[in-house]
């Protein structure tokens, strides 16, 4: 892969994929989707990758108007958890996909785990995109991710909330209804596996999993200790995944203590830079 466009380049997954690919010498066109974190976090990320000669940033409108001839990665891992945002951009995404030439391109779609559930109640916007994907006659690599943790985890997620709570920066952490509490993967392990599948030329639907029991809860325990049980809702058994989606057990799983240490270190760097 020599060139790629990443929609959601400053999102958690998109940004990590971008850094990984830039390190491999891939030329990246980063499509920026505005969010409420733009004022600070986007600028920090922009400073990290903006100096790389292989990186160029374009707006969503520019991306819509540009004829695409590179591989496309669409990261909706966060957007589908913030439905107001996906509603804002959905029509533009579908129109762009309808007009793409897929003869020599790869399309990779990254989605949150709950969209892979067999009996999940989906919003209108979620259904609209998934139905579009089903009816188009193109090869797509669909990847469904559980909770991903590590540097730059969004503030809405329980582990990042816990760091804010422990430092007295926020109230008691709350688990969002969409957060996947049945498993967790470290960001670099997830990104590496995404790229392995992409480079292999495979298409299909894959649900990433650690292959370990209670990994999400183990991460929460590592952060909060005895407070964990007081804060967590009861976790039912892992819900049933759609049978058309293959479960992909990751070969590598970062040690929880090391992965959370890296998340903490980045958290404190940001806190220090914000003053």
């Amino acid at each position: 892969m020599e060139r790629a466009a990443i929609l959601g380049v400053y999102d958690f997954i998109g940004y990590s994929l971008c850094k990984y690919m830039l390190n491999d010498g891939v030329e990246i066109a980063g499509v920026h989707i505005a969010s409420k974190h733009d004022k600070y976090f986007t600028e920090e990320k922009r400073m990290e990758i903006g100096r790389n000669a292989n990186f160029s940033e374009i707006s969503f409108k520019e991306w819509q108007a540009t004829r695409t001839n590179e591989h496309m990665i669409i990261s909706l891992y966060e957007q589908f958890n913030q439905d107001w945002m996906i509603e804002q951009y959905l029509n533009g995404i579908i129109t762009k996909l309808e007009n793409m030439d897929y003869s020599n391109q790869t399309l990779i779609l990254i989605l949150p785990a709950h969209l892979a559930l067999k009996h999940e109640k989906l919003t209108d916007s979620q259904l609209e995109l998934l139905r579009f994907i089903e009816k188009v006659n193109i090869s797509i690599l669909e990847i469904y991710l559980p909770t991903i943790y590590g540097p730059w985890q969004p503030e809405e997620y329980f582990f990042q909330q816990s760091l804010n709570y422990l430092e007295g920066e926020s109230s008691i952490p709350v688990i969002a209804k969409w957060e996947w509490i049945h498993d967790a993967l470290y960001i670099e392990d997830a990104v590496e596996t995404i790229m392995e599948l992409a480079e292999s030329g495979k298409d299909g639907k894959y649900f990433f999993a650690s292959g370990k029991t209670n990994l999400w809860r183990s991460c929460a325990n590592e952060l909060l200790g005895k407070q964990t049980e007081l804060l967590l809702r009861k976790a039912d058994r892992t819900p049933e995944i759609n049978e058309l989606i293959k479960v992909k057990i990751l070969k590598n799983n970062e040690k929880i203590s090391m992965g959370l240490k890296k998340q903490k270190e980045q958290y404190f760097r940001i806190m220090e830079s914000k003053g």
Side-chain angles (χ1 to χ4, degrees), residues 199-241:
E199 294 289 355
S200 73
K202 290 183 179 179
D203 59 10
K205 306 170 189 278
Y206 295 87
F207 187 99
F208 282 15
S210 68
K212 300 182 181 298
T213 303
N214 293 328
L215 195 58
W216 188 95
R217 187 174 290 268
S218 296
C219 289
N221 286 335
E222 181 79 17
L223 285 168
L224 296 171
K226 294 180 179 179
Q227 297 182 71
T228 304
E229 297 304 320
L230 298 175
L231 297 174
L232 296 187
R233 66 171 185 255
K234 182 180 178 181
D236 298 325
R237 64 178 183 173
T238 303
E240 193 174 356
I241 304 300

Side-chain angles (χ1 to χ4, degrees), residues 77 195 199:
Y77 178 75
M195 293 312 303
E199 294 289 355

